[in-house]
Amino acid sequence: MKNQTLRIIPLGGWGEVGKNMTVFEYNNQILIVDAGLMFPDNDMIGIDYIIPDFEYVRQNADKVKGIIITHGHEDHIGAISHVLEAVNAPIYATPLTLGLIENKLNRQNFTEPIRLQKVLAGESVQIGAFKVEFFHVCHSIPDAVGLGIQTPAGLVVHTGDYKFDHTPVDNWPTDYAKLAEFAQRGVLALLSDSTNAERQGWTASERMIDSAFDQVFQDAKGRIIIATFASLISRITQVYDTAVKYDRKVSFVGLSMNENVKIAKELGYVDFDDRVVVPLDNALKMPDNEVVLIVTGSQGEPLSILGRLANGMNKRFDIKPGDTVVLSSHPIPGNEELVYRAINRLMDRGAEVVYEALAPVHVSGHASQEEMKLLLHILRPRYLIPAHGEIRMLKAQARLAESIGMEPEQIAIVENGRVISFNHGEMTIGERIPGGYVFVDGSGVGNTDQSTIRQREQLGNDGVIVLSLVLDAKDNAFRELKIQSRGFMTEEDSEPLFSELRSRVERLALSPSNNLERDLHNTARNLIYDDTRRQPVIFASVFHG
Amino acid sequence: MKNQTLRIIPLGGWGEVGKNMTVFEYNNQILIVDAGLMFPDNDMIGIDYIIPDFEYVRQNADKVKGIIITHGHEDHIGAISHVLEAVNAPIYATPLTLGLIENKLNRQNFTEPIRLQKVLAGESVQIGAFKVEFFHVCHSIPDAVGLGIQTPAGLVVHTGDYKFDHTPVDNWPTDYAKLAEFAQRGVLALLSDSTNAERQGWTASERMIDSAFDQVFQDAKGRIIIATFASLISRITQVYDTAVKYDRKVSFVGLSMNENVKIAKELGYVDFDDRVVVPLDNALKMPDNEVVLIVTGSQGEPLSILGRLANGMNKRFDIKPGDTVVLSSHPIPGNEELVYRAINRLMDRGAEVVYEALAPVHVSGHASQEEMKLLLHILRPRYLIPAHGEIRMLKAQARLAESIGMEPEQIAIVENGRVISFNHGEMTIGERIPGGYVFVDGSGVGNTDQSTIRQREQLGNDGVIVLSLVLDAKDNAFRELKIQSRGFMTEEDSEPLFSELRSRVERLALSPSNNLERDLHNTARNLIYDDTRRQPVIFASVFHG
């Protein structure tokens, strides 16, 4: 007999719910939507990135009928290689998204055979028990889609990341007609992007940026260097268009910037003239007021092009007085210090720097409160599952929904791994399956845990000291104390302390002890703390030589 | 013959100019204004705090006639004990500021004799060659002052931290009349707070918060827990007043909160009724809807009261459903992650959380652009030295000044340590003296340098492995390889790797080598990197036993 329950399980995303992966399950068939990664917080020391805990998917790998990726940002595609190692299922996505996925898997030297299924916004695909209708949404990358997922248990709409820009750069607004059609059929549940649920009003259109860019190009006397996300193809197009208007040549700097532009060009998302786009070497030889460089590093990352320019560590060119640098981006929470430091250092080097606080050179890719209300009014879903956000954002979207008439019982605010079931049109919030996050560190997935991170924190705080005491094999007399340290204090400053430690240990070795390693450790710890108020990690060993 | 040049030198402040200390020098006499500290950025691992490099003051200690503290915040008083160790000079400040300084020095067990000179806003004091007129300014702590510093070379106005609140909680607006009087005498130079120079408009009045608090008290069904800075006496007063209005008792939680309230009460800055203020133990026994707890930790610091409440680690009470928590604060850049994490966790525990994004429960203590323009129009200084800000903020204030008619030549944007000289009414920007910053780590001042911090970073990234190879003293045969690690990976996960390492080292010990420690190090490094892509710090030693 058929199990007629539809189950929806948001998975993964450190701190955010349903951001990186969502699982739909009906009649023993599973559909995965998105497979992304998160970047670690500042205090998750040494962690490269974080992926969803998809143990549930791994254990039910044979039930997975397909993986849909809504758009090509890292928080939606970044964990694909990990998922593909566990699951052999086709990937459905629009052309640009597929291009970015392929590029990513190539860069990772992923060699397993994969099945990529191209779909276009407006098309429908039957994937197991799920009839999925892809509809276009505006976002800060082209070719983003939302999903209408029809099952015998009802129609679920998943927005993906979206906003309602009436004048997007590619002139392709979000598909209101499709949304209205869903509403006519009756929407059982809506999973909806909560990122900007705390932000009043309506997110500004990408078009607003044109006038800010105009002003920059009018004012700039020398080179213009614009930093933005490599995936923000529409922003790159706006820079290109302004460059054409002001008769400047454009050069792309940085691997991911060049790769993304190449993919977008091959797939026809941009139409850049080869007489306008020039290689960096040529651009650097041209008069300063005839070039625009588009670079990565708008988050101030020290190893990015912009970060290296700020620190004077870039290889092929440096910042010079007369340059105008534009940060066409918003600092991701946790990156504020890096971004502001980069701005200050660029100014120190004589550049004019234009950033969000000074001119409207960036807008968000996510819907604000009025757009969320509009979406709810168009779709009139029976249930709302605020998704893609920290709990404070989910709650903010819930409050909005209540302000326009939804009842609290119609809204499910859940944590990752919580199973939301729909049966005969009724929603039940059920058990919780593993749905947290997994740290990825080097090539290791999950073998760094919180206690390892706490140890790293201690190492990072005060450094490490390694003590090796060598005693004479025959008479146990003190022969040598080898002291090594790293990250403790400057060598010069530590010398008096270490020489005091040596003489104390020499005395210590004279007295009988039933645990000399412990005594060595304690002697060192106490002396160091009394003298410096620091608590480095201490390794103490005794050898008989 | 007299040296008739007035020299002004902004000192210290990591990333910010003239924030923590400014030196005025005339005719071989020095006046110090402020002696504050900065908190480290997220990537300054293990650093407790940062103080100005005041080597110049130390070398000229005998010339220092006085130290003026403009108000009681850490970034203005936090380095006083360090300065007093180098300089024997009286400290001039208003009563609340002096109270906070005394309390701070007591907590630090500072035992040297100190000279504290009480001054009131409106008074003038002759300090060496400097006639200093103290005038009241509004800021986010009571009793803040700006300074008119009269020297034979001219009158310099130093705003300290200020805003132009027309309805401050203590009904004491910034002293416009004094500013106008300075203008009549002619202002040679203005040093002016740049913190909010990127912010348009006029900073909202503290009074705006009353209506937000009103709403919170009307809506709250259970306990109200309000987190704010312990120094924000006016905010604490607003909570108290609202509590009285809604018939709730008030309890202060946390050492610094209680200490600051005690000092403010003793000095008459607050007038709290003992029938309203109750000890925490009593408050916890009262009905939930009759109490307000005022706590520290509004920056989400994990060890603060609010941080511990969020993490479920507080000792005397826990968050429970029905609690309303208000964060009456703004995240300091770099603290966003901590603050949002605390908000999410408080919500997870069932609390309603009210914060800046949802209601106007906080306003800044610094002037915005329109206030800066007003100040310039009132004072009409000949020269402007934008101070108290990162270079991006200084530049923003410079642009404002130019927008209302000042010439670029009238504005000095300098780094810390740059000497600005005034002679016969003309400004010259001169040489640079040491004026950077000094890291304080435990009890050590300056013995942690950037290379130590880089070592800590490496330790923090991948941990440490200590290898001690013991060979037989007679025949050099392999006897033992001791492997210790910390912060590398979980013990279980590292076991196969370490056992492979043991067998490789056993083989290594068989072959002749002219540097066995180096070979041991390389063998371990290569195996670990190939297997894990990690690069822990490795200590390798060889002993003969």
Side-chain angles (χ1 to χ4, degrees), chain A residues 70-71 94 121-122 134-147 157-165 168 170 172-176 179 193 365 375:
Chain A
T70 56
H71 63 280
T94 56
F134 295 77
F135 62 95
H136 181 69
V137 293
C138 294
H139 185 46
S140 44
I141 187 169
D143 229 5
V145 290
L147 311 171
V157 176
H158 183 302
T159 63
D161 294 8
Y162 82 101
K163 65 174 177 176
F164 284 146
D165 194 338
D170 61 4
W172 194 2
T174 296
D175 191 346
Y176 301 94
L179 293 171
D193 177 4
L375 180 70

Side-chain angles (χ1 to χ4, degrees), chain A residues 198 341 355 447 455 487 534, chain B residues 41 198 355 447 455 487 534:
Chain A
E198 293 170 344
R341 208 186 284 174
Y355 52 105
N447 58 19
Q455 292 174 6
R534 295 185 202 185
Chain B
D41 284 359
E198 293 170 346
Y355 52 105
N447 58 20
Q455 292 175 4
R534 297 185 200 185

Side-chain angles (χ1 to χ4, degrees), chain A residues 41-43 45 198 337 341 344 355 390 392 443 447 455-456 460 482 487 493 532 534 541 544-545, chain B residues 41-43 45 198 337 341 344 355 390 392 443 447 455-456 460 482 487 493 532 534 541 544-545:
Chain A
D41 284 359
N42 281 314
D43 55 2
I45 302 172
E198 293 170 344
E337 286 176 349
R341 208 186 284 174
N344 289 324
Y355 52 105
E390 302 168 27
R392 64 192 170 98
S443 65
N447 58 19
Q455 292 174 6
R456 289 179 183 177
K482 184 171 178 183
D493 285 314
T532 67
R534 295 185 202 185
S541 301
H544 292 84
Chain B
D41 284 359
N42 281 313
D43 56 1
I45 302 173
E198 293 170 346
E337 286 177 348
R341 206 186 285 174
N344 289 324
Y355 52 105
E390 302 168 26
R392 65 191 168 99
S443 65
N447 58 20
Q455 292 175 4
R456 289 180 183 177
K482 184 172 178 183
D493 285 315
T532 67
R534 297 185 200 185
S541 300
H544 291 83

Side-chain angles (χ1 to χ4, degrees), chain A residues 15 389-396 413, chain B residues 343-345 347-348:
Chain A
E390 302 168 27
I391 181 169
R392 64 192 170 98
M393 303 164 183
L394 310 185
K395 288 215 169 199
I413 293 185
Chain B
I343 291 172
N344 289 324
R345 290 186 177 166
M347 287 178 168
D348 260 342

Side-chain angles (χ1 to χ4, degrees), chain B residues 44 79 86 121 128 133 203 282 337 356 382 414 443 492 518:
Chain B
M44 296 175 186
E133 298 172 67
T203 301
N282 296 16
E337 286 177 348
E356 215 184 359
R382 188 178 218 162
V414 299
S443 65
E492 194 188 332
R518 188 197 59 202

